[in-house]
């Protein structure tokens, strides 16, 4: 939520809040608001200070905030981005900044995104600079904020400073109101959320919060409760967003929004701290229904950090949910719009506010928000702010709304709003992203999702953009399955299994699903549309066929299509596509749902909007949500407690396992295998958990996972546990070398009971994926034709061995597997459009891997003889296999030892060439070979649409990797790595593809 309005109300005339941010609590610190305040003295010029406030969970007006301290922006004030020592950097993660004055040093973390950049720029502009002609700021206007009431003695000698370099403020929202405009607060999408992780250098603690709590009359336990509440209000940051952005707090669409008056409220009646507000809004250690799926509520329960008795209470409450809840209908608006990279040019109310009744909840999704290369590779875009503002202005005028969440992955964005009166009943908000582009990560295709608890019903909203092109329905199916399997929402307790999409009471799925109409005659399709014979045309719809085949969206429903296809139009008109490609019309943009008590009221397109080559689609639902009857809830709780008082807890829990030995046969690289077993409980409720063995950090090896790994069982209930085995680049090398084996012992522990031991075994099929370059150069035969001992010796062989007069036979110039992949692409895909940008099919990768590992090159060549649409798909699969091969190398093409030298000489071609000459021969050959291939691709850029920037971006982070083991490079390093590769592409030497054969 943009809370600068609340800050503005505390300011005096002439003082304006330019930018606001949220100072989120750390492990033991509490939430703060931070505003950059500008004042224009009568003598001209302007002065700035950072104001820090304590606040209620949602700061709507000045009464909700209390000034805690002030940091004047003096000449010695600096705020710069830093990289904490030893911290793992993930692209799209928080930005760390250091605030320094002469006496003060603070460290903050800000969310990744455009608004954070704006915030830092505004603070930088606010600094007075070093021009001696400019008078020093006097900050006389800050004197009005000096404490006027007797205060507890601060822990520092200064009467003004709570920490050196800061000024404490008055407590309470009773400062003179100002009416100045908010320059950057109101339209901000990405909140400049900051978490305080450092304290004053001078040793003065930040004591304003303690003072505020005391004046509000909070007891210690209430303060702790409020801290948990504000942690919940801050929400989660997106952890694997691939550069996505989020905005975690409720945002008003109008004036004061009375959301969730929490325990910070001074005049709140005692009974207002009801079970409803405490468990849902504050996420306390009481019942959390959203951790339980619809299908297994009575069986397996997520275990919280409290005792067995509370867990039993929780489980019984879930079983008896119908006894104390009733169904109440709420109106949901669900909309999807592929905007084709355009900025908003027209009002969105014909789409968002077409109904006379204002919706209770808005779920608004966009695709192709930004089609630029910058958005694709660096994940930041101004279009996010533009479309967020357009949506906020287009919401129904008869209601006021709060923004619950914004989540974006490159061009896929999802916004969630609720009416202000419902905001207090929204809790447990989490958001995640899944990229399904090339290598299963890139965010040009994929999905974003928000899950939340509304009253006592769990809801998940998914916005997806699936693979394009008529013939690619199998890849769309794969994208859907990937989103379902990889979209996982973390719970408060990291030991608990994550929630998947399916584990919600209500699922709403929207987006550009890209399923097309199979009828090949475009004119026939247009004629059926003109005749409004939509049901006849629907018979050719790919999504209908795939759902009927149970390939996707099993159990989902979709309303009848009574509107004409929403794609593809000439931009700015209602005319069908007249471009050279002349795309056939299709219902690409869809809304589906799954769950009980859902009634679709409308399903339509909106032809009035002409910004894009798609038309927006909306669906309005009445959804029955379970609402708690407080009196019945208390009565049910009392009955459960009384029954527990009679229960004998002295018994020792005991379970039976359906099996204890698991053998995984012929495990292959990146091929998931799953074995399952059942835990059946006896007569005593029990908690179970897989625990680590002595001297081991995890309960299992990296290639294994148990799902769920812990839980709770009622008497006579059972749960199925899945053991998932998956070998990736992290674990493949040691399995290839024999340093690790598919062997493990799992320990299943029962609380107050005994331990059960499970044996896991199997055999791994060695692969060229995960093998070092020099090892593969010495393997004249396919890896699976070699004895295991030979593979072990070659894999463990040091890189220097090839240059020290070894007795081994002379190695090949480059790995034969690399040659096979590049040669295939050179012969079949040199003109393939969007090569290295579109993902392949999982089944085809399996086939390619097997061909490389067994040496059956002829089988790979057969792929080039398939029909054209299938051949295109194979080309993308081989291209992706090449990228995965390079990513799996334990030592990258440019060795770790040369990494820093490469970054330092990026931009200097002569020096860069010199670095390449220092590489071992096999690595040097591979680099030269790849550059020659990429140069050949660029010669065909008119057909394949590749350019040097795209290829440098894709291959830069694969050929150059940080030796510290960072999964992703910092932005500055990433750009230097790209620049290093880029110079070899734009200044081609007389390179040629090496004369090499398998």
């Amino acid at each position: 939520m943009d809370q600068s309005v609340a800050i503005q109300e505390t300011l005096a005339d002439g003082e304006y809040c330019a930018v606001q941010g949220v100072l989120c609590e750390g492990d033991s610190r509490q939430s703060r608001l931070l505003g950059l305040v500008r004042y224009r003295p009568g003598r001209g010029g302007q002065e700035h200070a950072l104001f820090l406030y304590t606040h209620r969970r949602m700061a709507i007006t000045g009464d909700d905030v209390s000034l805690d301290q002030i940091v004047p922006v003096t000449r010695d004030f600096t705020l710069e981005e830093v990289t904490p020592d030893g911290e793992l950097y993930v692209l799209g993660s928080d930005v760390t900044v250091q605030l320094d004055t002469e006496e003060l040093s603070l460290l903050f973390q800000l969310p990744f995104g455009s608004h954070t950049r704006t915030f830092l720029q505004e603070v930088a502009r606010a600094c007075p600079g070093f021009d001696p002609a400019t008078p020093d700021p006097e900050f006389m206007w800050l004197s009005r904020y000096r404490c006027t009431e007797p205060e507890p003695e601060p822990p520092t000698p200064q009467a003004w400073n709570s920490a050196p370099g800061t000024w404490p403020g008055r407590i309470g929202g009773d400062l003179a109101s100002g009416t100045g405009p908010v320059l950057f607060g109101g339209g901000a999408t990405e909140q400049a959320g900051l978490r305080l992780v450092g304290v004053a250098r001078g040793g003065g603690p930040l004591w304003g919060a303690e003072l505020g709590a005391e004046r509000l009359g909070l007891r210690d336990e209430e303060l702790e409760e409020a801290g948990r509440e504000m942690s919940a209000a801050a929400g989660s940051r997106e952890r694997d967003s691939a550069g996505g952005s989020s905005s975690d707090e409720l945002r008003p669409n109008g004036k004061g929004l009375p959301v969730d008056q929490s325990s910070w409220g001074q005049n709140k009646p005692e009974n207002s701290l009801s079970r409803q507000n405490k468990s849902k809004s504050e996420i306390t250690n009481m019942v959390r229904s959203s951790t339980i799926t619809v299908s297994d509520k009575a069986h397996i329960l997520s275990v919280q950090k409290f005792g067995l008795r509370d867990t039993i209470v929780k489980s019984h409450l879930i079983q008896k949910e119908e006894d104390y809840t009733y169904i109440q209908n709420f109106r949901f608006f669900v909309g999807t719009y592929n905007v084709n990279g355009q900025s908003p040019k027209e009002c969105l109310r014909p789409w968002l506010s077409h109904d006379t009744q204002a919706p209770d909840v808005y779920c608004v999704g966009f695709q192709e928000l930004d089609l630029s290369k910058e958005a694709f590779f660096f994940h930041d875009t101004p279009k996010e702010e533009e479309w967020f503002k357009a949506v906020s202005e287009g919401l129904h005028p008869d209601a006021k709304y709060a923004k619950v969440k914004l989540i974006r992955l490159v061009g896929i964005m999802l916004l969630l709003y609720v009416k202000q009166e419902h905001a207090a009943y929204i809790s447990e908000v989490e958001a995640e992203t899944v990229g399904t582009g090339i290598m299963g990560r890139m965010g040009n295709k994929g999905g974003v999702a928000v899950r939340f608890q509304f009253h006592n019903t769990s809801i998940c909203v998914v916005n997806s953009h699936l693979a394009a092109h008529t013939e690619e329905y199998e890849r769309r199916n794969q994208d859907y399955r990937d989103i379902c399997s990889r979209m996982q929402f973390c719970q408060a307790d990291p030991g608990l299994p994550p929630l998947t999409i399916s584990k919600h009471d209500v699922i709403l799925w929207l987006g550009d699903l890209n399923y097309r109409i199979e009828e090949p005659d475009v004119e026939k399709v247009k004629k059926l549309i003109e005749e409004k014979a939509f049901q006849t045309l629907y018979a050719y719809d790919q999504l209908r066929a795939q759902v009927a085949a149970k390939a996707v969206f099993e159990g989902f429903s979709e309303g009848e299509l009574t509107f004409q296809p929403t794609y593809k139009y000439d931009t700015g008109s209602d005319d069908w596509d007249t471009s050279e490609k002349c795309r056939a019309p299709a219902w690409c943009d869809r809304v589906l749902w799954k769950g009980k008590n859902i009634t679709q009221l409308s399903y339509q397109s909106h032809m009035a909007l002409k910004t894009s080559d798609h038309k927006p689609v909306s669906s309005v639902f009445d959804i029955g949500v379970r609402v708690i009857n407080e009196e019945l809830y208390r009565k049910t709780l009392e009955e459960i407690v009384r029954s527990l008082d009679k229960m004998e807890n002295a018994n020792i829990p005991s379970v039976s396992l359906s099996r204890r030995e698991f053998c995984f046969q012929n495990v292959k690289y990146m091929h998931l295998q799953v074995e399952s077993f059942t835990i059946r409980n006896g007569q005593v409720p029990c908690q179970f958990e897989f625990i680590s063995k002595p001297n081991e950090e995890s309960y299992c090896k990296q290639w294994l996972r148990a799902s769920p790994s812990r839980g709770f069982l009622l008497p006579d209930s059972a749960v199925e546990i899945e053991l998932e085995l998956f070998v990736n680049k992290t674990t493949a090398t040691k399995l290839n070398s024999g340093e690790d084996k598919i062997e493990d012992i799992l320990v299943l522990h029962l609380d107050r009971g005994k331990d059960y031991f499970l044996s896991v075994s199997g055999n791994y099929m060695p692969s060229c994926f995960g093998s070092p370059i020099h090892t593969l150069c010495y393997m004249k035969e396919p890896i699976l034709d070699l004895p295991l001992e030979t593979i072990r010796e070659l894999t463990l062989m040091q890189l220097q061995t090839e240059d020290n007069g070894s007795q081994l036979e002379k190695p090949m110039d480059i790995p034969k597997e690399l040659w096979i992949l590049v040669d295939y692409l050179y012969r079949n895909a040199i003109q393939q459009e969007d090569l290295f940008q579109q993902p392949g099919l999982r089944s085809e990768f399996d086939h390619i891997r097997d061909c490389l590992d067994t040496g059956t090159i002829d089988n790979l060549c057969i792929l080039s003889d398939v029909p054209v649409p299938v051949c295109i798909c194979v080309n993308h699969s081989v291209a992706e296999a090449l990228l995965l091969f390079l990513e799996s190398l334990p030592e990258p093409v440019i060795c770790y030892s040369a990494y820093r030298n490469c970054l330092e000489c990026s931009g200097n071609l002569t020096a860069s060439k010199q670095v390449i000459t220092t590489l071992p021969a096999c690595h040097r050959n591979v680099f030269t070979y790849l550059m020659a291939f990429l140069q050949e691709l660029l010669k065909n850029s008119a057909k394949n649409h590749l350019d040097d920037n795209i290829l440098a971006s894709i291959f830069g982070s694969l050929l150059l990797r940080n030796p510290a083991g960072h999964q992703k490079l910092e932005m500055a390093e990433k750009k230097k790595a790209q620049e290093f590769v880029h110079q070899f592409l734009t200044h081609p030497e007389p390179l040629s593809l090496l004369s090499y054969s398998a």
Side-chain angles (χ1 to χ4, degrees):
M1 169 186 174
D2 176 14
Q3 298 168 103
S4 60
V5 177
I7 296 175
Q8 186 70 58
E9 289 190 16
T10 69
L11 304 179
D13 294 337
E15 301 166 13
Y16 304 107
C17 176
V19 179
Q20 64 83 204
V22 182
L23 174 59
C24 301
E25 67 168 356
D27 293 338
S28 60
R29 296 172 178 85
Q30 297 176 0
S31 182
R32 296 286 187 276
L33 296 183
L34 185 145
L36 176 61
V37 178
R38 183 189 70 212
Y39 177 76
R40 297 186 186 276
R43 56 181 169 79
Q46 56 186 16
E47 297 177 355
H48 296 81
L50 293 180
F51 280 37
L52 275 75
Y53 295 81
T54 58
H55 64 107
R56 297 179 181 175
R57 177 183 177 187
M58 299 309 306
I60 308 303
T61 69
D63 292 331
D64 298 327
V65 299
S66 301
L67 183 59
D68 179 49
Q69 57 184 263
I70 299 170
V71 183
V73 181
T74 57
R75 285 192 186 276
D76 63 358
F77 179 101
T78 61
L79 188 70
E80 60 182 354
E81 187 172 342
V82 297
T83 303
D85 294 337
E87 186 170 300
L88 181 67
Y89 181 86
V90 178
L91 183 61
S93 63
D94 293 346
V95 176
T96 304
V97 295
Q98 179 84 34
L99 184 157
D100 285 301
T101 67
E102 185 177 349
E103 297 179 315
L104 178 72
S105 180
L106 298 172
L107 194 66
F108 299 105
Q109 290 179 342
L110 295 77
F112 180 89
S114 57
H115 190 63
T116 287
R117 290 293 149 207
T118 301
F119 181 85
L120 293 175
Q121 290 166 8
E122 289 304 309
V123 174
R125 276 196 282 265
C127 295
F130 297 96
D131 184 0
T134 304
D136 289 332
E138 299 177 355
F139 299 108
M140 297 300 297
W141 56 285
L142 294 179
S143 62
R144 67 173 60 93
Y145 296 105
R146 183 171 182 173
C147 301
T148 57
E149 300 177 45
E151 305 286 1
E153 184 178 349
T156 61
Q158 297 101 325
W160 282 77
N161 295 354
S162 62
T166 67
W167 294 4
R170 279 187 284 176
I171 304 302
D174 57 353
L175 304 179
S177 296
T179 57
V182 179
L183 303 182
F184 289 90
T189 313
E190 177 70 61
Q191 302 300 329
L194 304 96
R195 184 189 321 137
L196 179 60
V197 293
V199 296
R201 181 185 292 129
L206 306 179
W207 54 271
E210 298 168 3
L211 175 61
E214 181 179 328
R215 292 179 63 88
L216 288 172
L218 295 176
R219 302 187 306 273
D220 291 345
E221 59 270 21
E222 292 174 321
L223 186 60
E224 182 181 355
E225 190 84 342
R228 284 197 297 269
E229 174 194 273
M230 286 184 287
S231 176
S236 70
R237 292 180 174 82
E238 278 55 66
R239 280 158 295 279
D240 183 23
S241 63
S245 66
S246 68
S247 218
D248 294 336
E249 296 171 297
L250 301 174
R251 182 190 189 105
N253 181 42
K255 296 183 180 179
L257 172 60
V259 297
D260 196 15
Q261 301 302 318
S262 70
S263 59
W264 282 99
Q266 304 176 58
N267 303 318
K268 195 165 185 184
E270 225 175 79
N271 59 8
S272 65
L273 284 176
S274 63
R275 179 262 173 196
Q276 179 80 32
N277 285 336
K278 290 186 72 171
S279 65
K280 297 304 173 189
S281 301
E282 299 172 20
I283 316 200
T284 63
N285 292 335
M286 294 178 66
V287 179
R288 290 181 56 191
S289 300
S290 70
T291 59
I292 313 306
T293 67
V294 177
S295 59
D296 61 7
K297 282 185 175 181
H299 302 293
I300 175 156
L301 304 163
S302 301
V303 180
Q304 302 297 322
K305 295 180 178 178
F306 47 74
L308 178 61
R309 183 182 178 87
D310 291 328
T311 307
I312 297 173
V313 170
K314 170 185 171 181
S315 63
H316 282 289
L317 281 171
I318 293 170
Q319 282 186 313
K320 297 176 177 291
E321 185 181 40
E322 293 186 2
D323 294 349
Y324 58 87
T325 61
Y326 60 92
I327 300 296
Q328 179 177 335
N329 281 336
F330 293 88
R331 185 149 298 187
F332 280 63
F333 174 97
V334 181
T336 178
Y337 194 5
N338 182 317
V339 297
N340 192 33
Q342 303 296 310
S343 295
K345 300 182 178 71
E346 51 197 347
C347 177
L348 300 183
R349 281 197 173 172
W351 170 40
L352 300 175
S353 305
H354 64 86
D355 203 357
T356 56
Q357 181 176 336
D360 297 292
V361 180
Y362 271 101
C363 310
V364 183
F366 293 96
Q367 306 83 39
E368 295 190 1
L369 203 71
D370 194 330
L371 299 177
S372 68
K373 294 184 182 71
E374 290 75 18
F376 181 73
F377 291 114
F378 300 114
H379 312 294
D380 204 9
T381 172
K383 300 289 181 66
E384 175 188 308
E385 181 76 15
E386 295 172 5
W387 282 102
F388 167 69
K389 183 177 180 182
V391 171
S392 297
E393 293 173 349
L395 301 179
H396 205 288
D398 292 344
K400 294 177 181 177
Y401 292 90
K403 188 191 70 158
V404 177
K405 196 73 172 179
L406 182 155
I407 178 69
R408 180 177 63 82
L409 174 67
V410 187
I412 310 169
M413 184 168 79
L414 179 61
L415 283 159
L416 178 66
Y417 297 82
V418 297
K419 277 184 179 179
Q420 64 173 41
E421 58 264 33
H422 302 319
Y425 303 100
I426 297 286
S427 65
E428 302 178 35
V429 180
E430 292 285 343
E432 285 296 345
T433 67
V434 169
T436 60
I438 190 74
M439 300 174 73
R441 288 201 308 265
M442 291 296 198
N444 54 324
K445 293 295 187 289
V448 299
V450 177
R451 62 92 49 210
F452 59 98
Q453 190 85 355
F454 188 26
H455 287 279
N456 222 45
T457 295
S458 60
I459 300 173
C460 183
V461 185
V462 185
N463 173 23
S464 66
H465 190 192
L466 308 184
H469 307 305
T470 302
E471 68 279 358
E472 298 285 15
Y473 66 88
E474 282 289 357
R475 186 177 284 122
R476 286 188 276 280
N477 294 352
Q478 178 176 292
D479 287 351
Y480 166 80
R481 291 191 293 268
D482 282 349
I483 293 170
C484 288
S485 63
R486 291 168 50 202
M487 189 76 75
Q488 298 186 340
F489 305 96
C490 293
Q491 300 193 56
D493 184 345
L496 295 179
L499 295 172
T500 58
I501 293 172
S502 63
K503 297 190 176 185
H504 291 84
D505 298 323
V506 173
I507 305 169
L508 302 171
W509 198 303
L510 58 110
D512 179 0
L513 305 186
N514 250 327
Y515 286 95
R516 308 301 174 89
I517 292 173
E518 287 284 7
E519 170 56 54
D521 188 343
V522 176
E523 293 307 316
K524 180 181 178 180
V525 172
K526 292 179 180 178
K527 187 173 186 299
L528 289 172
I529 295 171
E530 187 177 346
E531 296 171 353
K532 297 189 182 302
F534 298 136
Q535 288 309 300
T536 302
L537 190 61
Y538 181 61
Y540 300 100
D541 179 65
Q542 286 182 339
L543 180 58
R544 181 202 64 79
Q546 296 305 305
V547 171
K550 297 186 177 180
V552 291
F553 292 104
E554 190 169 359
F556 280 79
S557 301
E558 184 184 19
E560 182 180 346
L561 296 174
T562 59
F563 52 90
Q564 69 183 48
T566 55
Y567 174 83
K568 178 183 183 180
Y569 297 86
D570 286 340
T571 301
S573 73
D574 293 335
D575 300 327
W576 297 115
D577 180 26
T578 58
S579 68
E580 181 182 350
K581 294 183 178 179
C582 194
R583 303 280 192 194
W587 284 294
C588 290
D589 310 283
R590 313 288 273 266
V591 177
L592 297 92
W593 75 91
K594 186 177 184 180
K596 296 180 180 179
N597 303 313
I598 303 175
T599 303
Q600 189 178 55
L601 304 179
S602 69
Y603 191 25
Q604 64 188 97
S605 65
H606 299 269
M607 300 295 291
L609 273 67
K610 308 179 191 299
T611 298
S612 173
D613 57 354
H614 289 247
K615 298 297 181 182
V617 169
S618 71
S619 181
V620 178
F621 299 94
D622 270 349
I623 298 180
V625 171
R626 287 204 167 273
V627 178
I628 291 175
N629 180 307
E630 293 295 332
E631 183 177 348
L632 292 178
Y633 171 80
R634 286 193 295 270
K635 181 179 178 182
T636 303
L637 180 60
E638 290 169 0
E639 291 174 353
I640 293 171
V641 172
R642 279 197 299 268
S643 66
L644 286 180
D645 288 339
K646 300 175 183 179
M647 181 184 293
E648 178 56 60
N649 286 322
N651 295 332
I652 297 176
S654 176
V655 301
S656 62
L657 309 183
S658 61
R659 54 188 296 202
R660 302 193 191 189
E661 295 183 357
F662 305 87
C663 184
F664 293 86
Q665 295 288 345
N666 298 328
V667 177
K668 297 181 179 181
Y669 183 79
M670 286 187 66
H671 184 79
L672 177 68
Q673 288 196 34
V674 180
E675 297 282 344
S676 62
F677 70 99
T678 301
I679 304 176
R680 182 164 298 280
N681 192 25
Q683 300 303 310
V684 179
C686 75
Q687 293 177 182
F688 70 87
E689 177 183 7
F690 288 97
I691 61 173
S692 302
K693 298 179 286 295
N695 303 319
E696 294 187 8
E697 295 182 358
S698 176
Y699 69 85
C700 66
K701 292 187 176 180
Q702 282 186 285
W703 37 260
L704 187 64
R705 187 173 79 96
S707 179
S709 63
R710 61 189 303 192
F712 173 77
L713 285 168
L714 291 173
D716 295 320
S717 63
V719 61
E720 184 177 57
I721 306 293
E722 290 188 339
L723 299 182
E724 302 172 353
L725 196 156
F726 187 76
V727 177
N728 58 19
K729 61 183 181 182
T730 305
T731 54
T733 303
K734 288 189 175 182
L735 287 167
N736 280 337
S737 68
E739 293 176 277
D740 190 14
K741 296 181 179 179
I742 305 297
E743 293 178 356
D744 202 1
I745 299 292
L746 301 184
V747 182
L748 179 65
H749 173 72
L750 298 188
D751 185 34
R752 301 181 305 111
K754 68 176 185 177
D755 294 341
Y756 297 80
F757 297 90
L758 288 75
S759 171
V760 176
S761 62
N763 67 295
Y764 180 68
M765 307 290 286
S767 175
C768 62
F769 290 87
S771 295
I773 289 177
H774 66 284
T775 297
L776 294 173
C777 286
Y778 276 101
M779 290 183 180
K780 300 291 182 70
E781 302 296 324
I783 191 169
L784 287 179
D785 288 350
L786 296 175
L788 293 178
E789 186 58 33
T790 301
I791 297 173
R792 172 181 170 80
E793 291 175 359
L794 292 176
T795 304
L796 293 176
M797 179 179 63
Q798 295 297 314
L799 181 57
Q800 294 79 5
T801 302
E802 59 178 345
D803 296 322
N804 64 358
S806 171
Q807 298 292 322
L808 292 172
E809 186 179 348
K810 184 179 183 300
M812 295 178 287
D813 293 324
I814 62 173
K816 58 187 178 303
E817 295 83 2
L818 175 66
W819 177 84
I820 292 171
L821 293 171
V822 172
D823 182 67
Y824 178 94
L825 294 173
Y826 181 71
R827 288 186 293 103
N828 299 288
I830 200 76
Q831 296 183 347
Q832 177 64 57
E833 184 178 353
D834 294 332
L835 195 69
F836 294 117
Q837 296 176 82
Q838 292 293 334
L841 288 176
R842 198 70 41 75
S843 58
E844 290 176 354
F845 170 78
D846 289 343
H847 177 78
I848 294 165
R849 179 204 57 226
D850 292 346
C851 288
L852 297 177
D853 290 340
T854 59
T856 52
I857 304 176
D858 292 341
N859 290 347
L860 184 63
C861 296
I862 290 173
L863 295 176
S864 62
D865 298 328
V866 297
V868 173
V870 181
C871 182
I872 291 173
C873 184
V874 173
N875 291 344
H876 290 306
S877 296
V878 175
E880 185 172 22
L882 173 59
L883 299 182
L884 290 170
F885 174 82
L886 296 174
E887 183 188 48
S888 73
L889 294 172
E891 181 87 15
V893 174
I894 298 177
C895 301
Y896 287 128
S897 59
Y899 175 78
R900 289 296 169 192
N901 289 338
C902 290
L903 296 189
E904 290 171 3
C905 66
S906 62
N908 185 333
L909 182 60
T910 302
S912 298
K913 290 178 181 177
Q914 182 60 38
V915 173
I916 296 301
T917 63
T918 66
L919 298 176
C922 56
H923 285 253
R924 184 171 63 250
N925 292 340
V926 168
F927 180 82
T928 304
Y929 185 63
L930 288 172
M931 291 302 104
F933 170 60
L934 297 183
Q935 289 165 13
E936 291 296 321
L937 285 176
L938 290 176
K939 292 176 184 177
N940 292 269
S941 59
K943 292 286 188 180
N944 58 37
H945 298 164
L946 291 169
D947 63 34
D948 44 25
N949 290 318
I950 292 176
L951 291 178
S953 298
I954 293 170
F955 283 86
S957 58
L958 292 174
L959 303 181
L960 274 163
R961 284 190 245 143
N962 192 315
H966 292 181
Q967 294 299 309
K968 295 183 181 179
L969 305 182
E970 292 188 11
M971 187 62 68
E973 292 187 4
K974 182 177 181 180
K975 289 183 177 179
K976 284 189 176 183
Q978 292 172 5
E979 186 180 359
F980 182 87
V981 173
H982 185 267
Q983 58 193 348
F984 286 91
L985 300 178
T986 54
H987 298 87
E989 293 288 315
L991 301 172
S992 62
L993 293 177
L994 294 178
S995 178
Y996 174 83
S997 65

